[in-house]
Amino acid sequence: MPSDLARLGVAEAADRLAAGDCSAVELVEACIAAQEAARDLNAVVVDTAERARAAAVHADQRRQRNEARPLEGIPVAVKDIFCTEGVATTACSRILDGFVPEYESTVSARLWDAGAILVGKTNMDEFAMGSSNETSRCGPVRNPWSPVNGPSLVPGGSSGGSAAVVAASTVPAALGTDTGGSIRQPASFCGVVGLKPTYGRCSRWGIIAFASSLDQAGPLTRSVADAALILEHIAGFDPRDSTSADLAVPDLHTALQADVKGLRVGIPSEYRLDSLPGSISDLWEQGIAWFRDAGAELRDVSLPHTRYALPAYYIVAPAEASANLARYDGVRFGARSMGADPDELYTRTRRDGFGEEVRRRIMIGGYVLSEGYYDAYYLRAQQVRTRIAEDFRQAFQDVDVLLTPTTPSPAFPEGAKTDDPLAMYVNDIFTVPASLAGLPAISVPAGLDEDGLPLGLQLVGRAFDEVTLLQAATILEDAAGTFRPPAAAA
Amino acid sequence: MALTDDDVRRVAELVRIRLDETEVKPLGEELSRIFSWIEALREVDVAGVAPMTSVVEMQLREREDAVTDGNCPDRILSNAPMAEDGHFVVPRVIE
């Protein structure tokens, strides 16, 4: 049954292919058909079916010649922020209309070198700036968990399309990027696993830049093991990214089987917000109990500067964005609005090409970097960032991982927060601190709220200790089970 | 922290985004709300704290100062909105 094939995970699909139980052509056709059936989600913005079919034929030929690579024939969807050679890439912004990269991002190139097949570029908030996928110029994405005849719920953002296709089981895995929570928050909203690796673990080369000191690529999958498997193939040193870490990538997949007795799990008291819904604090307590039952040692820890993380983020990220997005000038690539002189060309192009939220963040960034304000805002924010990183360093002297909720709410209806930027920014309250400190973090689906919507729990690990992070995530997954949206569960 | 209309116009000019005069006031109010929220950072004692310049502990690498890429004008111009004779085309700069 083709639709069953699309529901396989990465490891399961790889096993079936290796055993000859199905072909790459059948698997890719199943995913294309499933994507077609899930069109109303608006999760895919660039259809790559023809290219995928050709790649599948090639994959089956390689397998016949006994030249199959580790991910040979595995379909993967990729967020539209990764430059894909010869395939339109716009970061869901009008200003990149018509842009077809002449090169492939390092991370996606590694996937294809391992045999994986691109099956669609996924919808996202414009330039990854948003937490609901509603700033996309391609329109919002419907969360597969939305009630059948009810209002559309957002999938989270900015990797909303990637989370939605994985949740809807139209592909085994998707790539996203995370700057302040853009993999973990949509993973939580859609009931899938979302992993943000340590800053420097995956190359940023060829990923359209938002905030260079925060951006990291990572997988969204339906299991922790699959996230480990994908990370293993996208991570690693790249001389073309100046902050890429020159470290060996551990064998993450086998490391998951190790014994974790005595794992020390920290519970940061500053994350216990009064405003937290009961369903989320109950789930957090449940998560603590699961770890205790698994033989872990629970410890209370303090991260005193937690409440300053979001304001610091909203200086650092827009500042870097305003510099990165200065390149969109209507001259070298993308859309152009003509002007009588270069200045008019720039200001019109940028006015017409950027959406409202992107313009807002460029304005914030331009202001905090401008003469007379740099010390008061940008410099201070980077000092606060040092404080936040110190908090984590201190905590990790006593514990191996931290356990927190991923988001302060479940998925909300479309349009609920679009009029209030601050209400939208607060979505990332639990994910931003680890981003500022560059630490690896993962969201694991842990339960459903009273309305049947998925909720994730977040684990944060030490820098470059994805092994322990993923081992802890497995404990959570084993205890919680997995969750499928009702429509896809049938 | 309140941004004046002139602040808004100045920043829009710096970041090269055209702004209609009717947008100045609402945008200023919205940005002011965001900056009031950011003001919380003033409570943090940052005396003697080094600003973060490297996210994870690493030494920036050096490489040999040699050309490793280039000589591909066609690829570079392939996405230009307007190109001619191996050049980007822009509006007249000098009268």
Side-chain angles (χ1 to χ4, degrees):
Chain A
M1 292 292 280
S3 60
D4 284 345
L5 290 180
R7 294 157 62 88
L8 296 174
V10 178
E12 292 167 316
D15 289 347
R16 294 277 288 268
L17 287 165
D21 290 346
C22 73
S23 67
V25 168
E26 287 169 327
L27 182 58
V28 163
E29 286 298 342
C31 290
I32 292 170
Q35 274 185 0
E36 194 58 39
R39 249 188 130 122
D40 63 323
L41 299 178
N42 194 32
V44 177
V45 294
V46 184
D47 179 5
T48 58
E50 283 319 305
R51 176 187 149 124
R53 288 188 171 108
V57 170
H58 182 68
D60 284 334
Q61 287 167 349
R62 279 190 76 115
R63 194 172 294 280
Q64 273 173 1
R65 294 196 305 262
N66 288 321
E67 290 169 7
R69 297 159 292 180
L71 298 177
E72 197 70 63
I74 300 292
V76 179
V78 171
K79 187 180 184 179
D80 198 30
I81 200 165
F82 292 88
C83 286
T84 39
E85 188 175 355
V87 176
T89 302
T90 69
C92 289
S93 178
R94 197 176 295 274
I95 210 161
L96 274 170
D97 263 355
F99 181 64
V100 180
E102 290 276 339
Y103 48 86
E104 185 81 27
S105 83
T106 298
V107 159
S108 54
R110 285 191 174 162
L111 271 187
W112 318 144
D113 286 348
I117 294 175
L118 173 66
V119 287
K121 303 287 296 279
T122 57
N123 205 338
M124 56 181 283
D125 281 296
E126 183 182 3
F127 283 110
M129 296 181 197
S131 305
S132 67
N133 215 109
E134 290 167 290
T135 72
S136 167
R137 70 81 46 105
C138 305
V141 171
R142 184 175 160 90
N143 186 323
W145 289 82
S146 305
V148 175
N149 292 310
S152 264
L153 303 177
V154 303
S158 66
S159 311
S162 288
V165 290
V166 173
S169 290
T170 71
V171 284
L175 287 185
T177 56
D178 191 312
T179 302
S182 280
I183 288 175
R184 293 161 283 162
Q185 186 255 14
S188 178
F189 277 18
C190 292
V192 301
V193 174
L195 170 63
K196 182 199 90 78
T198 311
Y199 182 81
R201 185 60 102 177
C202 296
S203 170
R204 290 179 293 109
W205 195 82
I207 298 173
I208 294 172
F210 162 15
S212 302
S213 77
L214 296 157
D215 298 343
Q216 255 302 283
L220 293 106
T221 55
R222 290 189 289 275
S223 74
V224 173
D226 282 356
L229 191 54
I230 296 288
L231 177 61
E232 221 174 273
H233 289 288
I234 61 174
F237 176 63
D238 178 9
R240 289 183 294 191
D241 171 359
S242 63
T243 59
S244 168
D246 195 355
L247 292 173
V249 181
D251 182 353
L252 297 163
H253 196 53
T254 30
L256 292 188
Q257 280 125 37
D259 184 23
V260 289
K261 279 251 178 316
L263 180 79
R264 297 166 305 166
V265 180
I267 309 300
S269 53
E270 289 79 7
Y271 284 54
R272 293 189 191 280
L273 305 178
D274 293 339
S275 56
L276 207 57
S279 56
I280 293 179
S281 41
D282 290 351
L283 187 71
W284 195 10
E285 290 307 323
Q286 176 67 70
I288 293 169
W290 282 331
F291 274 106
R292 195 171 287 129
D293 293 347
E297 190 186 322
L298 278 298
R299 291 191 184 179
D300 289 323
V301 298
S302 176
L303 302 168
H305 295 88
T306 299
R307 60 180 297 245
Y308 302 109
L310 261 188
Y313 176 84
Y314 275 95
I315 291 176
V316 174
E320 294 182 12
S322 76
N324 275 325
L325 273 60
R327 75 190 65 179
Y328 303 104
D329 55 7
V331 172
R332 291 162 295 165
F333 37 71
R336 160 184 280 194
S337 300
M338 212 36 194
D341 55 62
D343 212 54
E344 194 185 346
L345 179 141
Y346 300 148
T347 59
R348 276 181 185 275
T349 294
R350 291 164 65 78
R351 166 59 202 230
D352 298 345
F354 292 133
E356 190 184 5
E357 179 62 20
V358 174
R359 295 201 305 267
R360 181 183 292 131
R361 296 207 197 180
I362 292 174
M363 290 283 289
I364 296 172
Y367 184 73
V368 301
L369 292 177
S370 65
E371 196 183 348
Y373 295 94
Y374 181 89
D375 286 4
Y377 288 109
Y378 188 73
L379 191 70
R380 176 168 281 263
Q382 290 287 46
Q383 288 173 310
V384 171
R385 198 173 170 187
T386 298
R387 283 274 197 230
I388 289 165
E390 282 169 358
D391 285 355
F392 279 109
R393 205 168 297 132
Q394 194 69 38
F396 281 122
Q397 297 197 338
D398 296 322
V399 299
D400 303 306
V401 290
L402 300 168
L403 175 69
T404 79
T406 307
T407 57
S409 80
F412 47 86
E414 235 174 78
K417 301 188 179 189
T418 36
D419 294 336
D420 183 355
L422 287 175
M424 192 65 89
Y425 298 169
V426 168
N427 269 292
D428 294 331
I429 192 159
F430 297 136
T431 50
V432 152
S435 298
L436 288 173
L439 302 173
I442 188 168
S443 179
V444 180
L448 303 178
D449 77 350
E450 59 277 12
D451 297 319
L453 297 178
L455 295 169
L457 288 175
Q458 174 182 237
L459 289 159
V460 181
R462 290 192 187 92
F464 299 110
D465 190 6
E466 279 88 357
V467 167
T468 306
L469 181 75
L470 288 161
Q471 286 171 341
T474 306
I475 295 180
L476 211 48
E477 180 181 55
D478 287 347
T482 52
F483 304 90
R484 297 282 174 273
Chain B
M1 171 74 211
L3 274 77
T4 64
D5 290 355
D6 281 345
D7 287 334
V8 174
R9 288 191 200 98
R10 180 181 62 92
V11 178
E13 195 192 332
L14 284 174
V15 300
R16 297 290 186 277
I17 293 177
R18 189 185 173 93
L19 212 55
D20 291 338
E21 201 43 41
T22 55
E23 295 171 304
V24 172
K25 205 162 277 298
L27 186 58
E29 284 165 9
E30 190 176 77
L31 292 176
S32 297
R33 267 199 305 282
I34 294 170
F35 277 103
S36 318
W37 171 70
I38 287 174
E39 289 299 295
L41 293 184
R42 287 189 194 276
E43 298 164 14
V44 186
D45 179 11
V46 292
V49 177
M52 183 183 279
T53 49
S54 179
V55 188
V56 292
E57 283 161 36
M58 61 165 71
Q59 286 283 313
L60 275 183
R61 295 180 304 278
E62 292 182 353
R63 67 167 175 85
E64 199 186 331
D65 185 12
V67 177
T68 57
D69 198 1
N71 221 358
C72 51
D74 292 347
R75 295 178 69 208
I76 288 168
L77 290 170
S78 69
N79 278 293
M82 215 184 278
E84 224 176 276
D85 294 334
H87 299 280
F88 294 109
V89 178
V90 296
R92 202 181 167 89
V93 181
I94 303 159
E95 291 303 323

